[in-house]
Amino acid sequence: MIKRCVPVKFERVEADEEQPENVGRIRCTYKNLDFGFETSECFDTVLLAVGRDACTANVGLEATGIQMNEKTGKVLVDAYDKCVGTDKIYAIGDAVDTRQELTPVAIKSGERLADRLFGGKPELKMDYNEVPTTVFTPIEYACVGMSEELATETHGAENLEVYHSYLKPLEWKTNHEFHDMKKGIEHREDNQ
């Protein structure tokens, strides 16, 4: 699952002398929004999930001093969901920049905010790095934790161990053509 990236170009591979197995596949060139690099990969199928609009335009947020991501229209917040540029305004859910657009995440964020403001737990905050997510397509995709790029930036490549393994779901045991792939990234120092 490739998150926080925008596609730059899609093209059908007509010829590839270096990797002939890519002929007929779709080459997707995309830009990573977190790290700024651009890269290409080839796939049999590409699913483009475009997300949701924040619907923050024309509601007067600029009068409050709230800072917005001009490109997405989403609200910028700190680690405690306080809107950047204000002292007493908070935001959670789909209107917030760089947060998962998942209903359970918004619910838990709201609970954490209520605990901080009214429950006597001012340091309690949501850990957005450990939120699992999935895409329910005929071949399901799921991920949890840091991407390899973020883990490398956070801990350094020399402190990571990257594992790849192949799995086969029970329902596919009779079909020998397909398999599932698992990738794990472990921080050597604390085995996480």
Side-chain angles (χ1 to χ4, degrees):
M1 187 174 295
I2 302 170
K3 294 193 220 176
R4 301 252 331 121
C5 293
V6 292
V8 175
K9 176 173 52 173
F10 296 104
E11 59 188 341
R12 176 87 47 199
V13 178
E14 301 295 333
D16 190 334
E17 291 181 18
E18 291 180 23
Q19 295 179 309
E21 67 273 13
N22 286 335
V23 173
R25 299 177 83 197
I26 301 165
R27 178 172 287 122
C28 175
T29 302
Y30 58 90
K31 181 175 182 177
N32 184 297
L33 298 176
D34 291 327
F35 302 99
F37 67 84
E38 193 172 293
T39 190
S40 295
E41 294 184 61
C42 291
F43 303 97
D44 294 321
T45 304
V46 175
L47 172 67
L48 182 61
V50 295
R52 303 176 182 136
D53 286 335
C55 299
T56 56
N58 302 318
V59 294
L61 292 180
E62 59 280 347
T64 66
I66 291 175
Q67 293 181 20
M68 313 285 284
N69 177 327
E70 291 180 18
K71 187 171 183 179
T72 65
K74 294 193 174 199
V75 177
L76 301 176
V77 296
D78 66 12
Y80 294 92
D81 302 314
K82 187 181 289 186
C83 295
V84 175
T86 69
D87 285 332
K88 297 184 186 283
I89 301 175
Y90 298 83
I92 58 170
D94 294 356
V96 177
D97 195 44
T98 70
R99 300 282 166 83
Q100 297 95 334
E101 295 173 341
L102 301 167
T103 301
V105 172
I107 291 168
K108 185 54 80 175
S109 297
E111 290 172 356
R112 294 280 195 252
L113 178 60
D115 286 340
R116 281 194 306 277
L117 297 177
F118 309 110
K121 300 176 183 176
E123 296 304 314
L124 186 64
K125 63 181 178 179
M126 181 74 177
D127 183 354
Y128 294 97
N129 290 321
E130 303 299 327
V131 176
T133 188
T134 189
V135 177
F136 295 102
T137 55
I139 298 176
E140 295 174 352
Y141 297 90
C143 66
V144 65
M146 292 182 176
S147 67
E148 185 175 355
E149 294 84 3
L150 181 57
T152 300
E153 181 182 270
T154 304
H155 303 293
E158 68 282 357
N159 296 315
L160 298 179
E161 193 71 40
V162 179
Y163 301 95
H164 291 212
S165 66
Y166 290 95
L167 308 167
K168 187 178 282 193
L170 181 61
E171 63 199 72
W172 290 1
K173 289 293 183 190
T174 59
N175 184 339
H176 300 286
E177 184 177 340
F178 295 105
H179 59 271
D180 192 12
M181 196 272 236
K182 178 176 86 172
K183 178 179 183 179
I185 302 166
E186 176 184 311
H187 184 215
R188 291 181 181 139
E189 189 174 301
D190 56 12
N191 291 330
Q192 291 188 4

